[in-house]
Amino acid sequence: MRNCFKKRASLALLLTFLALLVWGFLGSKYALEVTNYVLSSPKLTAPIRVVQLTDLHNSEFGENNERLVRMVARQQPDLILMTGDMLNGREDKTEIAVNLVQRLTEVAPVYFSYGNHEVTHEQMFGRDLTALFEEAGATVLDRTYEDVTVNGQMIRLGGIYGYCLPEKYLRTGEAKRWECEFLKAFQDTESYTLLLAHLPTCWILNDNLDIWQIDCVFSGHEHGGQIRLPLIGGLYAPDRGFFPGRSSGIYASQDGERVMVLSRGLGSGVGVPRFNNVPEIVVVDILPQRAMEEE
């Protein structure tokens, strides 16, 4: 009797392990979840809701990404930000990302910035992705910014593909002058600033958040570490190697005045599949500071 119980217990443990293993892979490819953050700023007079999508890598969630579009629409965003790698650099396919842009423009204004895969795609196939995505209805922010009115207030939206190191790194050759000039111009405003910047590395490891006076930076690229381990987090992040630590979430400057939102993203552009890493739609509510204080 005792041996029979042990065999059944062992079988149950094995089946549970196999079920978790299968879910770890399938859930990381086909499931979707929403992550919510709440910020505040004295620069705002009315709330703004932002949805961030990043690192789609030509993934599809339902036919024509129906499930993804439906979940985004359910959030009722004021703005939709796409922060790069929505297609694959070495794959001559654009229709998935273009179709998604077209459908999402019916939900809210869409702003698009480049990731490394858009850069690679243009180099390999000679295709003007800016023209393609703008024809689909997005505003592409590539080393550019726009002042737009959202809920009766002016905000500044910009996009850049680069590491964005501050000017003090010019003397070591690590910073790029054109990046510094763009960011200096971008931050020169009294309006609330939102920056789409695919690469998060220097916003995490260096003092970008402390030096650049940019209220909120949206990044991707790291896929949440691709494989997420219990109690440890992401296994590997580009530019930072194994066990990088901070590979998704929200991170603040030392004075708490500025933040970077780092999404795990939606897809996978590498040979290693995502594991224990459900694709993520990020929703950020940015409230007037008075409203937060009253709560």
Side-chain angles (χ1 to χ4, degrees), residues 72-87:
V72 171
R74 200 176 297 151
Q75 309 311 311
Q76 297 183 304
D78 298 304
L79 301 168
I80 298 171
L81 310 183
M82 291 184 168
T83 50
D85 283 10
M86 301 304 287
L87 42 66

Side-chain angles (χ1 to χ4, degrees), residues 32-37 48-53 67-80 104 107-108 151 280-285:
L32 280 170
E33 69 178 17
V34 175
T35 301
N36 295 90
Y37 301 111
I48 296 173
R49 172 165 280 200
V50 177
V51 161
Q52 180 199 12
L53 303 176
R67 284 197 297 122
L68 177 57
V69 172
R70 188 168 62 245
M71 286 186 70
V72 171
R74 200 176 297 151
Q75 309 311 311
Q76 297 183 304
D78 298 304
L79 301 168
I80 298 171
L104 289 176
V107 176
N151 296 336
E280 179 181 52
I281 299 168
V282 168
V283 179
V284 180
D285 287 301

Side-chain angles (χ1 to χ4, degrees), residues 84-251:
D85 283 10
M86 301 304 287
L87 42 66
N88 288 322
R90 299 182 182 277
E91 185 177 358
D92 189 11
K93 180 189 291 187
T94 60
E95 58 271 20
I96 293 174
V98 168
N99 178 66
L100 181 60
V101 169
Q102 289 173 332
R103 300 194 66 192
L104 289 176
T105 55
E106 299 174 6
V107 176
V110 174
Y111 292 85
F112 193 111
S113 68
Y114 277 28
N116 50 294
H117 279 259
E118 281 79 20
V119 173
T120 299
H121 187 97
E122 288 193 335
Q123 292 170 345
M124 286 202 66
F125 300 105
R127 185 174 284 126
D128 185 350
L129 292 178
T130 293
L132 198 65
F133 289 125
E134 287 189 339
E135 185 178 348
T139 298
V140 177
L141 299 170
D142 183 24
R143 309 182 193 181
T144 56
Y145 62 83
E146 290 192 0
D147 294 313
V148 299
T149 301
V150 182
N151 296 336
Q153 63 205 322
M154 189 72 73
I155 68 167
R156 178 167 287 187
L157 281 161
I160 184 172
Y161 174 72
Y163 289 102
C164 301
L165 282 166
E167 285 183 297
K168 68 179 185 178
Y169 293 97
L170 286 171
R171 62 177 178 268
T172 65
E174 297 171 275
K176 294 183 178 179
R177 189 168 297 280
W178 69 263
E179 292 180 356
C180 294
E181 293 302 319
F182 168 77
L183 292 171
K184 284 165 64 179
F186 176 69
Q187 70 181 14
D188 186 20
T189 178
E190 297 298 318
S191 300
Y192 191 84
T193 48
L194 293 171
L195 180 67
L196 289 67
H198 182 73
L199 301 176
T201 306
C202 295
W203 300 95
I204 293 175
L205 297 183
N206 299 86
D207 40 12
N208 287 22
L209 280 174
D210 298 308
I211 293 179
W212 296 119
Q213 300 300 298
I214 297 169
D215 295 301
C216 188
V217 179
F218 287 88
S219 296
H221 188 57
E222 300 198 345
H223 302 179
Q226 195 71 20
I227 294 171
R228 295 188 64 81
L229 305 175
L231 305 178
I232 295 175
L235 177 65
Y236 181 85
D239 300 318
R240 295 198 289 140
F242 288 96
F243 307 108
R246 296 176 291 178
S247 57
S248 70
I250 190 165
Y251 307 104

